[in-house]
Amino acid sequence: MLVGCTALVLTVTGTASATASTATTSATARPGLRDGLDRQVLAAQDGWAAYGTGTTGGAAADSAHVYTVTTWDQFKAALADGGSAPKIIRVQGTIHADEPGCASFAVPGYDFATYLKTYDPAVWGRIRNLDNEPADSPEGLRRASAAAQAAYVEANVPANTTIVGIGEDAGFTGANLMIKGVDNVIVRNLRFESALDCFPQWDPTDTAVGNWNSEYDDVTVYGGTHVWMDHNTFTDGAHPDSSLPSYYGRIYEQHDGELDMVKGSDLITASWNVFEDHDKTTLIGNSDGAATAAVDRGHLRVTLHHNLYRNVLERAPRVRFGKVDSYNNHFVAGGDDYVYSYGIGMESQIVAEHNAFTLPDGVKAGTILKKWKEAPLTAADNYVNGVLTDLIAVHNTQVPGEILQSGAGWTPTLRTRIDPARAVPGIVDHCAGAGHLS
Ligand code: CA
Ligand code: CA
């Protein structure tokens, strides 16, 4: 199967080289496969990240800006070196951003048992949130501890960077890559095992029964542009939600998203990734509020193709504002906990075409779409358990309380190859994810 997957990659790269040689961009500025994985660039026309200047990451790095790293400290040092000069960071083996352990981040005086006693709904109630708690309160000490963890596990990626895994077992545990306010980043061939928030915050006012809220996506694109996420695996791995405890009758949620894109992020292609064993997978736009709308409207343009969504519960993705093209993906719902795949949020313009869905008995096709706001979408040529299915019609029949309208109002043109939807499970299951590019 590996040979078949490699052939697929060559096909895509060949298209890029052919296009580059006839375009004004020189062949040396856009090297192809022959120059090695670490200098590959996004193919012309391959999704929204190909729009405008395209996405080349650190392909033009000089030899002084090519790093091979095996530890979190080395990785963060490489990120911090050289400003926005093109750089390539080659990750070897698994890097453990969570190695210090939760206890090392706790500030003096922080005690979880005291926290639980203080904010027990039977004592504190469910009317006030904890935002105004002073620094020396249990919540204040939690905040300070959380800040220490954030400073350690978050890593800011500079502009013009390629981060690429070498071999079949490269990746991170407990890391949160932040692509914040920068342009032109490539992340490939890496396995991300989700960070565990050591200090989730209790919010008594989040729903009628309260919620534990946590930080740290695997990768956060925050106002970033021209980002290509390719052949990565995102998973809760050894720490699935089912292993997490409950307090106050609510799950002690320690995960956030796998790949979130927020705050005016734009021009992103996520291809051939595996998103698995997770609850809230991908958020595109994180608020309906006026301030957020002002930065998100006209942005959040994202292409998602040839990704495998396996045993994820919701947000695959959940979209606000963006023109999002989702095609040739395979969605495999795990079971009773499955909530929905596409979340149709405020002013979203989703095109969902040529996808395949594998649902177990008891999960209705009408739940693939979830309507949060009135926002028409385009859904065509999608197969559910091998049967051509009109996702909008089946939704409107099975969920009559929330009628969806058809017609996203735009037609994607940035696609390099479209596989027949019925062939998608065979292709994507065998070729998506980290470990297939070496
Ligand atoms: Ca969160
Ligand atoms: Ca997030």
Side-chain angles (χ1 to χ4, degrees), residues 2 91 93-94 165-171 189-191 433-438:
L2 198 58
V91 175
T94 300
I166 301 304
E168 296 180 9
D169 64 347
N189 198 36
L190 290 161
R191 179 181 185 274
H436 290 296
L437 288 179
S438 51

Side-chain angles (χ1 to χ4, degrees), residues 197 212-217 253 255-257 260 280 315:
D197 189 334
W212 293 99
N213 288 316
S214 56
E215 299 296 330
Y216 316 122
D217 309 318
E253 183 56 74
H255 297 119
D256 199 10
D260 284 5
K280 294 170 179 171
R315 299 186 181 176

Side-chain angles (χ1 to χ4, degrees), residues 78-378:
L79 288 171
D81 190 39
S84 60
K87 71 173 64 173
I88 294 168
I89 303 178
R90 301 153 49 99
V91 175
Q92 201 156 19
T94 300
I95 290 179
H96 300 282
D98 46 4
E99 210 156 49
C102 287
S104 73
F105 301 123
V107 299
Y110 173 77
D111 176 62
F112 185 53
T114 305
Y115 188 94
L116 282 178
K117 245 197 264 178
T118 307
Y119 304 114
D120 189 322
V123 177
W124 181 265
R126 298 182 190 272
I127 306 297
R128 292 174 293 160
N129 66 31
L130 311 186
D131 290 353
N132 295 319
E133 284 284 273
D136 61 353
S137 68
E139 167 60 13
L141 296 166
R142 184 210 64 80
R143 276 201 301 265
S145 304
Q149 184 183 8
Y152 189 80
V153 304
E154 291 178 358
N156 281 296
V157 180
N160 308 316
T161 295
T162 293
I163 303 169
V164 59
I166 301 304
E168 296 180 9
D169 64 347
F172 298 95
T173 65
N176 180 188
L177 299 196
M178 299 284 301
I179 302 171
K180 189 168 182 178
V182 298
D183 184 65
N184 195 25
V185 173
I186 296 174
V187 179
R188 301 182 77 195
N189 198 36
L190 290 161
R191 179 181 185 274
F192 292 89
E193 187 168 309
S194 306
L196 278 180
D197 189 334
C198 297
F199 311 98
Q201 183 191 38
W202 174 246
D203 183 352
T205 68
D206 182 350
T207 78
V209 286
N211 262 322
W212 293 99
N213 288 316
S214 56
E215 299 296 330
Y216 316 122
D217 309 318
D218 298 349
V219 177
T220 310
V221 188
Y222 188 110
T225 51
H226 290 112
V227 177
W228 182 31
M229 306 290 308
D230 178 69
H231 279 95
N232 302 291
T233 294
F234 302 87
T235 180
D236 286 353
H239 304 285
D241 279 359
S242 59
S243 70
L244 302 178
S246 287
Y247 300 106
Y248 312 150
R250 304 296 289 159
I251 184 172
Y252 189 61
E253 183 56 74
Q254 292 180 272
H255 297 119
D256 199 10
E258 292 196 320
L259 170 62
D260 284 5
M261 307 167 224
V262 299
K263 306 292 185 195
S265 291
D266 203 15
L267 305 176
I268 296 164
T269 297
S271 54
W272 300 101
N273 300 289
V274 173
F275 298 94
E276 69 178 6
D277 297 339
H278 195 82
D279 182 0
K280 294 170 179 171
T281 304
T282 287
L283 191 59
I284 301 178
N286 66 346
S287 171
D288 291 352
T292 311
V295 289
D296 284 346
R297 198 171 277 139
H299 298 106
L300 298 175
R301 290 172 290 181
V302 178
T303 300
L304 305 161
H305 75 82
H306 294 93
N307 299 292
L308 172 60
Y309 296 91
R310 181 167 53 204
N311 190 29
V312 300
L313 305 188
E314 57 196 303
R315 299 186 181 176
R318 186 205 197 291
V319 183
R320 295 176 171 98
F321 302 105
K323 286 187 170 78
V324 172
D325 183 20
S326 170
Y327 73 95
N328 277 176
N329 302 288
H330 186 203
F331 301 78
V332 183
D336 293 346
D337 294 340
Y338 172 75
V339 187
Y340 67 85
S341 294
Y342 294 101
I344 293 106
M346 184 163 173
E347 296 180 31
S348 60
Q349 294 178 268
I350 299 171
V351 175
E353 295 178 330
H354 319 297
N355 298 291
F357 298 82
T358 301
L359 305 182
D361 286 351
V363 173
K364 292 181 171 178
T367 60
I368 288 169
L369 304 179
K370 167 65 186 171
K371 179 178 179 178
W372 295 103
K373 283 283 156 65
E374 190 67 55
L377 73 154
T378 299

